Amino acid sequence: MEIYLDNAATTKPEKEVVNAMMKALNEMYGNPSSLHSKGLEVEKEIKKIRRLLARALGCDEKEIIFTSGGTESNNLAIRGLIERNKRQGNHIITSKIEHKSILNLYQKLEKEGYKTTYLDVDEGGFISLEQLKEVISEDTILVSIIHVNNEVGSIQDIKEISKIVKGYNPQISIHVDGVQSFGKIKYHVKDLNIDTLAISGHKVNGPKGIGALYINKNIKINPLLIGGGQEGSLRGGTENVPGIFGLGEATRLLIENQDIYIEKIYNLKKYLMDLLEKEIKGIQINNKLNDNYAPHIVSILLPGIKSEIMLHSLASDGIYVSSGSACSSKDRKLNHVLQAMGIKDEYIDSAIRISLNHRNTMEEIDYFVKKLKEHYITLKRIIRR
Ligand SMILES: Cc1ncc(COP(=O)(O)O)c(C=O)c1O
């Protein structure tokens, strides 16, 4: 048996996605820059997929460029935006609960001479708009905020953030890491009034190594990769055609089924949270079932048992969850998101993240909670001895 509940780390590609990628590899292998028909047919297909993504995000197709994923999109946006604004100032703002692709980049930028501010979050995982108002200054050139946090699922109010930032100075750029929000909550980028937004294929049942960046057509950014003029000269390098085809298929499925997917995931989250609270004594749940949290993430603490031990016990039953984000589980530091939320270190050590997909079922949740309960009781008994 295999029960995959680590969908914030990555998702299993849909069958249609794999088929579309196989088609790119087996048949449509031309270079989209080639002038002959083998290239042109691919270029035409990529154009269609760009239009599809623009539809899913609520923007113009000219505002979408393909990248290698969320990390590259975040790096390209931030580097591109600050380079464009550097004559205006050197202060850049983000939050303490960003993904490492933002936090580590900010640390690097600090070394390069930028002044950084990391906004605090409250115990629910939400930044304070009051603090944002206080720290924003004439020197500020960029605000980068994660839309849906990958550890606890808290949704930041991007519209309000944008009102504050653009109200203070419309020249300040806003980047949004939308990797965990794309497909999980409904929005149109145009309503958010932002400059750039990053998404990633492998979080929405698409392939790994492909993503996109929305770039508002009113702004210009500098590229990271200089090459043969692909992606409007904003991202050089021959396109990852199988990846783009896969992302296209994942996006098509999302456009057709998003409401059904979201409802299914929400119902699974409700079922899971109710069952956890009913069945497991001593458990603490770090997020809630309401509109302030994305429907696919449940973060729990199991006091007394290290998450790594629980993770391996569950894996021996074929159940896969996470003790934090997959990108950070290799460095053994405590989870920075839970730390920023004020959770005590000894509790953080027991944190488990369960993340859902429309492919999951209630029966899987039943089995997961049954096994979690068994392991928790057994492990606590062993430790007490
Ligand atoms: C919020 C967030 N941003 C960025 C990324 C990085 O995306 P990718 O794996 O496509 O580089 C992730 C992936 O874990 C994420 O969860």
Side-chain angles (χ1 to χ4, degrees), residues 81-90 114 141 222:
L81 290 169
I82 57 177
E83 191 125 321
R84 166 188 170 262
N85 284 350
K86 73 179 167 209
R87 262 182 254 114
Q88 285 172 47
N90 78 336
Y114 285 94
I141 54 172
N222 292 335

Side-chain angles (χ1 to χ4, degrees), residues 220-233:
K220 279 213 155 39
I221 70 164
N222 292 335
L224 279 182
L225 296 180
I226 315 285
Q230 292 92 347
E231 299 301 298
S233 291

Side-chain angles (χ1 to χ4, degrees), residues 69-71 74 99 101 146 150 177 179-180 200 202-203 327:
T71 301
N74 282 338
H99 184 261
S101 57
I146 189 165
N150 47 299
D177 178 346
V179 168
Q180 295 287 348
S200 173
H202 72 106
K203 310 287 184 181
C327 315

Side-chain angles (χ1 to χ4, degrees), residues 115-149:
K115 228 167 60 205
T116 52
T117 299
Y118 301 89
L119 298 171
D120 298 320
V121 294
D122 61 17
E123 69 275 7
F126 304 100
I127 66 164
S128 147
L129 298 178
E130 289 312 308
Q131 193 191 13
L132 175 62
K133 283 182 200 159
E134 280 164 26
V135 300
I136 202 161
S137 75
E138 279 177 10
D139 233 13
T140 307
I141 54 172
L142 170 73
V143 177
S144 179
I145 298 291
I146 189 165
H147 198 184
V148 164
N149 177 266

Side-chain angles (χ1 to χ4, degrees), residues 2 4-14 17-18 179-180 182 184 200-208 250 265 296 326 353 355-360:
E2 183 179 297
Y4 187 75
L5 298 171
D6 199 12
N7 292 285
T10 197
T11 54
K12 183 175 176 179
E14 298 284 4
V17 167
V18 177
V179 168
Q180 295 287 348
F182 181 55
K184 302 304 187 307
S200 173
H202 72 106
K203 310 287 184 181
V204 290
N205 301 86
K208 293 164 186 64
I265 298 169
H296 65 305
R353 180 187 70 183
S355 46
L356 305 162
N357 192 258
H358 58 269
R359 302 169 69 103
N360 291 122

Side-chain angles (χ1 to χ4, degrees), residues 275-285 300-307 309-314 317 319 346-347 349-352 367-384:
L275 207 57
L276 285 171
E277 266 172 352
K278 195 171 115 214
E279 291 294 324
I280 299 181
K281 277 202 197 80
I283 192 174
Q284 204 174 304
I285 302 182
I300 61 171
L301 305 175
L302 295 168
I305 301 302
K306 282 201 187 320
S307 50
I309 297 175
M310 182 58 85
L311 192 131
H312 291 303
S313 302
L314 290 167
D317 297 319
I319 300 169
E346 70 255 38
Y347 286 129
D349 229 10
S350 74
I352 296 275
Y367 187 71
F368 161 66
V369 176
K370 177 172 170 278
K371 285 294 167 186
L372 187 76
K373 184 178 179 178
E374 281 173 20
H375 289 306
Y376 193 40
I377 291 169
T378 315
L379 289 167
K380 274 207 297 193
R381 203 174 293 144
I382 294 169
I383 279 168
R384 248 188 257 122

